[in-house]
Amino acid sequence: MKFQLRTFCLIFAILWVECLCNGNARKASKQGCFTTLFQFGASLFDTGNAVIAFPRQAFQPTRLPYGSTFPGYPANRFSDGKLIIDYLADAFKLELLHPYLESVEAEATKKAVRDYRRGVCFSVAMATALSVEELNLTGIGSKKIALNPFTSHAQFEWFQNFRKRVLESGTNSRGNLSALLPSKEAMENALYLPGEFGVNDYRVGLLSGLSVAEVKKKVPYVVLKIVSLVKKLHGTGARNFLVVGVPPQGCSPFYLTVLNGSKDEYNCLVEVNEIHRLHETKLKIALRDLREQLRDSNIMFGDYYRAFMSVIKHPAKHGMKVRNIACCGSGGKYNYIPAAVCGTSSSRRCSKPENYVYWDDFHPTDALNKIIAAKFASGKYVEPPNLSLGCS
């Protein structure tokens, strides 16, 4: 069955608004609708920060066929089209979120500043929940693998800098910046979305040679870091959260190519998915405890793992045909060759990406992102449901 995102998201917006207005929670805005979004995370939610942060790297999202489905040219996203956050922005009738680093780059180069009144994306590809020091202390880090300095804490510091600019409502040589920034009230009533933190922490551990059992022992540290991010954001006045978990990346062309191991009936690596499933379980429990501590807040959990697996298990029901093979790649069993990734001269794009779960070795297609966003919108994979679609 093909999901009609517009219908689902309209229901999502209306019913979520009803619940926030009629319950004990703070209203999303005076009109009861979220008008501002703040996204944190890694490549699955990065709208362009990595391309700016690492200008010397030849990132795939700067080249076709990335962006070939939407908007028709490279849009600095790790997909052929939109990301989950893009579809959620559509649901609230907001502009797609600009990356935070565009504002920094604009000020440094005297370019026109983007309009950030409807929110900001702080996500950066390859970001981890834990800092480089914490990764090394917990035994996850490796000298063989370059670690991204723009971790969950670094992204929070970016947010703090952005918030400071909002509170100061400063001016510069190009005029009044306050006209391009959200109000203090909008920031307090915004929806905050910590994304798939943990995906890269576990990937670094596995690629560093740790066993699955050893990586599993690191899951509580990652979960604590995500909870810490929510608490810090709460301390700045944030009250509405949708904390998104991690997908079952044991099904990805990347892991199926670089690691060996037993596979389930859906051709997914069982032990890799056990790590991600454990993450979802522990994060869900931690957020339940956090709700008891922060009773003035709406803290929702988006179960990315279960939502994603529902497509892996039943692709035909979702209008898809290919589970584990990348739409874009240079060959091999799963269409992934590390030395010739999607976007390089030898890579080729499949003719119908809407039939594929994976766009490249690690990232979903626009079609899959649309489905996951619709599933979150339906409330089925959001906990607690009474804060999304469970209102009567």
Side-chain angles (χ1 to χ4, degrees):
M1 177 175 83
K2 290 187 176 180
F3 284 84
Q4 299 299 319
L5 180 66
R6 183 171 296 181
T7 301
F8 271 98
C9 289
L10 181 59
I11 294 172
F12 177 56
I14 293 172
L15 293 183
W16 199 346
V17 166
E18 276 187 26
C19 180
L20 290 173
C21 293
N22 297 332
N24 295 324
R26 171 191 298 226
K27 290 183 180 180
S29 74
K30 290 182 179 180
Q31 294 76 32
C33 183
F34 290 120
T35 60
T36 312
L37 305 174
F38 293 104
Q39 178 72 60
F40 304 81
S43 59
L44 302 181
F45 294 89
D46 183 359
T47 63
N49 283 308
V51 172
I52 301 171
F54 306 104
R56 295 184 180 180
Q57 292 195 21
F59 269 106
Q60 305 106 292
T62 62
R63 303 191 294 261
L64 285 170
Y66 285 84
S68 56
T69 296
F70 178 88
Y73 52 85
N76 298 336
R77 288 160 168 78
F78 286 83
S79 181
D80 60 311
K82 292 183 178 181
L83 309 178
I84 292 173
I85 184 58
D86 295 324
Y87 280 113
L88 292 179
D90 286 345
F92 291 102
K93 303 185 186 305
L94 304 178
E95 295 181 6
L96 303 188
L97 299 188
H98 298 300
Y100 168 74
L101 289 181
E102 275 194 356
S103 68
V104 177
E105 183 182 52
E107 289 188 315
T109 59
K110 306 301 182 183
K111 293 180 181 178
V113 179
R114 293 278 197 175
D115 188 339
Y116 289 95
R117 285 175 294 177
R118 300 309 180 195
V120 186
C121 175
F122 298 97
S123 302
V124 188
M126 302 181 294
T128 54
L130 301 174
S131 68
V132 173
E133 294 75 18
E134 289 165 335
L135 287 168
N136 290 328
L137 285 173
T138 57
I140 298 177
S142 170
K143 294 181 179 179
K144 299 178 183 178
I145 301 174
L147 299 175
N148 186 338
F150 304 114
T151 63
S152 61
H153 179 69
Q155 292 179 31
F156 174 72
E157 291 184 330
W158 285 354
F159 170 78
Q160 285 280 65
N161 291 335
F162 182 83
R163 180 172 177 269
K164 181 180 179 181
R165 290 164 63 188
V166 169
L167 297 179
E168 291 175 347
S169 295
T171 60
N172 66 6
S173 60
R174 279 165 285 133
N176 194 342
L177 282 177
S178 63
L180 300 173
L181 298 174
S183 66
K184 179 175 179 291
E185 182 183 25
M187 292 192 69
E188 291 174 348
N189 295 324
L191 179 63
Y192 290 77
L193 299 104
E196 79 287 22
F197 285 119
V199 164
N200 291 310
D201 301 73
Y202 308 138
R203 177 160 68 163
V204 169
L206 290 170
L207 296 184
S208 298
L210 297 184
S211 68
V212 169
E214 289 172 321
V215 174
K216 282 183 177 179
K217 292 179 181 178
K218 316 304 179 185
V219 171
Y221 297 104
V222 172
V223 170
L224 281 174
K225 201 68 177 180
I226 296 169
V227 169
S228 174
L229 174 60
V230 175
K231 286 182 176 180
K232 288 188 291 188
L233 289 168
H234 177 271
T236 69
R239 292 298 181 267
N240 303 301
F241 301 91
L242 176 60
V243 183
V244 179
V246 296
Q249 289 291 51
C251 304
S252 69
F254 173 81
Y255 276 121
L256 288 168
T257 299
V258 302
L259 294 182
N260 296 316
S262 59
K263 301 181 180 67
D264 61 19
E265 59 188 299
Y266 310 109
N267 200 39
C268 301
L269 288 167
V270 173
E271 289 189 315
V272 174
N273 275 355
E274 284 178 354
I275 298 170
H276 296 134
R277 188 165 62 245
L278 178 64
H279 173 101
E280 296 291 88
T281 299
K282 289 192 174 295
L283 181 57
K284 186 184 298 185
I285 293 171
L287 292 178
R288 288 172 183 169
D289 293 339
L290 190 59
R291 288 186 198 104
E292 293 300 313
Q293 299 174 39
L294 307 180
R295 288 180 170 269
D296 61 344
S297 301
N298 307 316
I299 302 175
M300 293 167 282
F301 170 62
D303 196 334
Y304 199 173
Y305 186 97
R306 287 200 307 125
F308 199 112
M309 278 304 297
S310 69
V311 182
I312 292 291
K313 291 179 179 179
H314 307 288
K317 289 184 178 180
H318 298 84
M320 294 193 157
K321 297 179 180 179
V322 185
R323 291 189 182 102
N324 312 106
I325 300 173
C327 168
C328 180
S330 299
K333 185 175 181 180
Y334 301 103
N335 200 22
Y336 170 58
I337 299 175
V341 296
C342 178
T344 57
S345 58
S346 62
S347 67
R348 297 292 181 269
R349 171 190 183 273
C350 65
S351 61
K352 294 184 177 180
E354 65 271 18
N355 290 340
Y356 285 69
V357 170
Y358 282 95
W359 163 245
D360 59 16
D361 59 296
F362 207 73
H363 306 96
T365 56
D366 171 283
L368 191 281
N369 287 328
K370 182 176 182 179
I371 289 170
I372 298 298
K375 285 180 178 292
F376 286 158
S378 74
K380 184 176 180 181
Y381 294 96
V382 174
E383 180 186 298
N386 66 308
L387 290 183
S388 52
L389 296 184
C391 305
S392 59

